[in-house]
Amino acid sequence: MIFKLKKEYKNILNLSSLFFLIIFFIRFFGELSSGNNYNWDTDHEMYFGTRLLNGELVYTKEIHDKLPLVQYFFVLPAFFKNVSIWTLFSSLVSIFASFSLRNTLRKLIPELSSKVDLNNINFISNFCGSFYLFAISSLSGSLHMINHFAASSYLLAFTSIFNYTYKPKKKFKIIYFFTSLFFASISISFRPYYAPSIILLGLWLPFRKYILININTKNEILKSKIVINSSIKFLSWITLLLIFIIILNAAPYLPNNINFFIDGIRHNSSSLQSMNILSIIKSQL
């Protein structure tokens, strides 16, 4: 039996999607026109973008809590002394991520439930995509915060690697595979604490593949081959992700400044707590 939404529910989803999009674009154009987009976090990145224009790489003279790749994204805003350039770029990436989420859900929902009607899938996917834009424009700091760009890069990494599993043609599979690596590297460079969950994403996909195979086939030998193949692919994805992050962030320091890069990473990796994590948890009980 195919599940179909009632007409009133469809209207609610459509109106909600339209409302979310209107709010997003009001905030988007309002922020671009008003120039009300200053905060200390963006100010830091604008400062380091200015330092790069003067030929100074991060970590060489000053320590920063983000990876060096971030500095390059603020060169153009720093050159024009205009944060709105960053807001525009970040928002366009978020819109692209929203479309990617919508298209991915149109593939994912039938996989979760084959009883959902195609029109209903479109209504739900449109709602989720528009709600994402509404959510990032409603969070503290609005659209110029670097959190939104990091989150959108994370989302694009997820949707790209997910679509990689669907594309039958090798050319498209390669494009999605490396697109996911690129955006995952950017996301981790902006917010390094995304790294554990992105690594888990690489481990989740073979597990998901196993569940689908387990449902659709009873051939144990075929199951084992497909799962082993998927595991190798996504273990290679994790390895390549590490290589991507190193190349994108360390390349500007070669060959003479690599020690500065290593010292900066070592500094940012040091614990800010004198107590170990178990002691901290115990002290809160």
Side-chain angles (χ1 to χ4, degrees), residues 164-165 202 205-207 209-210 213 223-237:
Y164 163 80
T165 64
L205 286 167
F207 180 70
K209 188 83 171 178
Y210 173 77
I213 295 167
K223 285 182 188 180
S224 300
K225 286 183 178 180
I226 294 176
V227 170
I228 291 171
N229 186 44
S230 298
S231 299
I232 291 172
K233 285 181 180 178
F234 288 106
L235 285 174
S236 66
W237 182 79

Side-chain angles (χ1 to χ4, degrees), residues 71-271:
Q71 191 178 21
Y72 287 85
F73 283 88
F74 284 86
V75 167
L76 199 60
F79 179 79
F80 289 101
K81 297 180 173 59
N82 190 340
V83 181
S84 293
I85 295 174
W86 164 253
T87 304
L88 175 62
F89 173 71
S90 176
S91 298
L92 290 176
V93 171
S94 295
I95 292 171
F96 181 48
S98 171
F99 274 108
S100 183
L101 173 62
R102 170 186 173 272
N103 292 333
T104 300
L105 287 174
R106 293 174 70 179
K107 301 171 185 175
L108 179 59
I109 294 173
E111 180 184 296
L112 297 174
S113 176
S114 59
K115 297 180 179 180
V116 182
D117 179 69
L118 180 60
N119 287 331
N120 295 341
I121 292 172
N122 290 331
F123 288 128
I124 296 169
S125 300
N126 292 339
F127 174 83
C128 292
S130 60
F131 179 77
Y132 174 77
L133 292 176
F134 170 77
I136 63 168
S137 66
S138 302
L139 294 175
S140 176
S142 196
L143 294 169
H144 58 276
M145 289 288 286
I146 65 172
N147 292 339
H148 304 142
F149 180 72
S152 294
S153 297
Y154 188 123
L155 180 56
L156 285 168
F158 169 76
T159 56
S160 296
I161 199 62
F162 186 87
N163 283 304
Y164 163 80
T165 64
Y166 275 91
K167 290 296 177 182
K169 293 185 178 180
K170 188 175 181 180
K171 180 177 70 173
F172 292 110
K173 289 176 78 72
I174 292 173
I175 291 172
Y176 276 113
F177 189 81
F178 283 97
T179 299
S180 70
L181 288 171
F182 177 71
F183 281 109
S185 301
I186 291 175
S187 179
I188 292 173
S189 296
F190 271 78
R191 291 302 186 204
Y193 51 72
Y194 280 156
S197 59
I198 287 178
I199 291 172
L200 287 175
L201 172 64
L203 297 174
W204 168 73
L205 286 167
F207 180 70
R208 167 183 164 273
K209 188 83 171 178
Y210 173 77
I211 293 175
L212 291 176
I213 295 167
N214 203 40
I215 293 172
N216 297 321
T217 183
K218 294 183 178 181
N219 188 327
E220 295 298 329
I221 297 175
L222 180 61
K223 285 182 188 180
S224 300
K225 286 183 178 180
I226 294 176
V227 170
I228 291 171
N229 186 44
S230 298
S231 299
I232 291 172
K233 285 181 180 178
F234 288 106
L235 285 174
S236 66
W237 182 79
I238 293 171
T239 304
L240 285 171
L241 174 60
L242 179 61
I243 294 172
F244 258 65
I245 292 171
I246 292 173
I247 291 174
L248 290 174
N249 287 282
Y253 293 85
L254 297 172
N256 299 322
N257 293 316
I258 195 65
N259 287 335
F260 290 109
F261 175 76
I262 295 171
D263 289 342
I265 296 299
R266 185 184 294 120
H267 178 273
N268 286 338
S269 300
S270 60
S271 176

